[in-house]
């Protein structure tokens, strides 16, 4: 009869720790070139009984823009904010990465920042002799003397305003002395519902 040796090896169950990139929050709509913007990154520790550490890296157009080391409690969720500055006027792709763990599918998230060189603004004025208030609004929005304004301003008198004037426009400014018909007001309402910006100046209208 042969000798049989039995060895006992201690076995320990290693806790399953997975930290996932849950979401990346970017501002709604377009942003301006060279203007700081806040991007939020939400991470979650799926382990209910042990804490976890997480290292976040944020890249924009292939360049590193931010890094953070986080410690999450058991089952905790946390949002870390990063301030980014885009230097190109285009749709810029960004990526958030963390150290690869047992579930690599949730360790990378992508996002896009639509970046504008200038904000295209349409000023709707009263026109004619009633355009006193519109004059001052126009001067306030006009490009600076060195020609480096973040705004590209165009103007149209309210009687001539139509949907064609909104092509490529991000924000409409309605001067206090401008008056719109029902159809024109509907055009502006559709513009806002589609994501456009609208600024109204009440002023002192005649009744």
């Amino acid at each position: 009869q042969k000798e049989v040796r039995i060895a006992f090896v201690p076995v320990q169950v290693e806790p399953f720790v997975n930290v996932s990139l849950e979401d990346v929050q970017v501002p709604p709509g377009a942003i301006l070139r060279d203007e700081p913007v806040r991007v939020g990154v939400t991470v979650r520790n799926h382990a209910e009984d042990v804490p976890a550490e997480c290292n976040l890296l944020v890249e924009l157009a292939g360049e590193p823009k931010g890094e953070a080391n986080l410690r999450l409690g058991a089952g905790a969720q946390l949002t870390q904010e990063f301030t980014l500055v885009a230097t190109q006027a285009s749709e810029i792709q960004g990526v958030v990465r963390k150290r690869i763990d047992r579930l690599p599918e949730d360790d990378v998230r992508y996002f896009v920042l639509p970046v504008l060189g200038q904000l295209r603004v349409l000023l709707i004025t009263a026109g004619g002799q009633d355009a006193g208030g519109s004059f001052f609004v126009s001067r306030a929005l006009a490009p600076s003397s060195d020609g480096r304004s973040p705004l590209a301003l165009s103007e149209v008198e309210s009687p001539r305003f139509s949907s064609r004037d909104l092509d490529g426009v991000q924000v409409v400014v309605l001067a206090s002395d401008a008056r719109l018909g029902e159809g024109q007001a509907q055009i502006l309402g559709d513009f806002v519902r589609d994501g456009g910006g609208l600024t109204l100046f009440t002023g002192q209208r005649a009744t």
Side-chain angles (χ1 to χ4, degrees):
Q1 186 175 3
K2 295 183 179 181
E3 182 180 354
V4 178
R5 293 185 179 182
I6 300 176
F8 291 93
V9 178
V11 177
Q12 179 180 1
V13 178
E14 183 179 350
F16 180 81
V17 178
N18 175 51
V19 176
S20 64
L21 292 174
E22 293 288 291
D23 190 26
V24 178
Q25 302 97 40
V26 299
I31 63 174
L32 285 174
R33 178 181 56 196
D34 297 327
E35 291 290 328
V37 58
R38 289 185 177 181
V39 172
V41 179
T42 300
V43 295
R44 179 184 175 189
N45 178 14
H46 292 268
E48 297 294 338
D49 51 354
V50 293
E53 295 184 353
C54 175
N55 175 258
L56 295 178
L57 297 173
V58 180
E59 297 178 2
L60 200 59
E63 298 182 1
K65 294 292 184 178
E67 182 176 2
N69 293 302
L70 309 178
R71 182 171 178 82
L72 291 85
Q77 181 169 293
L78 177 66
T79 297
Q80 174 70 34
E81 283 195 344
F82 295 88
T83 300
L84 309 180
V85 177
T87 58
Q88 306 173 24
S90 63
E91 288 195 348
I92 300 180
Q93 180 174 299
V95 59
V96 182
R97 307 179 191 275
K98 59 173 288 292
R99 182 177 59 83
I100 301 297
D101 55 24
R102 291 186 174 184
L103 191 62
E105 288 78 7
D106 57 15
D107 294 337
V108 180
R109 286 289 182 268
Y110 297 92
F111 62 94
V112 174
L113 292 179
V115 183
L116 303 174
Q118 286 185 307
L119 190 68
R120 293 191 59 183
V121 178
L122 174 66
L123 173 61
I124 302 178
T125 68
Q129 297 179 349
D130 296 329
S134 301
F135 170 79
F136 295 104
V137 176
S138 176
R139 294 298 296 172
L141 296 175
S144 57
S145 58
D146 60 5
R148 298 179 59 186
S149 172
L151 305 180
L153 179 66
S154 58
E155 300 182 23
V156 63
E157 296 180 357
S158 55
R160 300 179 180 179
F161 168 67
S162 70
S163 60
R164 294 189 299 272
D165 298 305
L166 297 176
D167 290 344
V169 170
Q170 285 85 41
V171 177
V172 171
V173 177
L174 185 63
S176 61
D177 45 24
R179 289 173 172 79
L180 300 179
E182 183 177 346
Q184 293 173 314
Q186 181 64 44
I187 291 173
L188 275 187
D190 293 341
F191 172 75
V192 172
R193 277 189 290 272
D194 290 339
L198 176 63
T199 300
L200 302 175
F201 287 93
T202 56
Q204 296 180 351
R205 293 179 180 267
T207 58

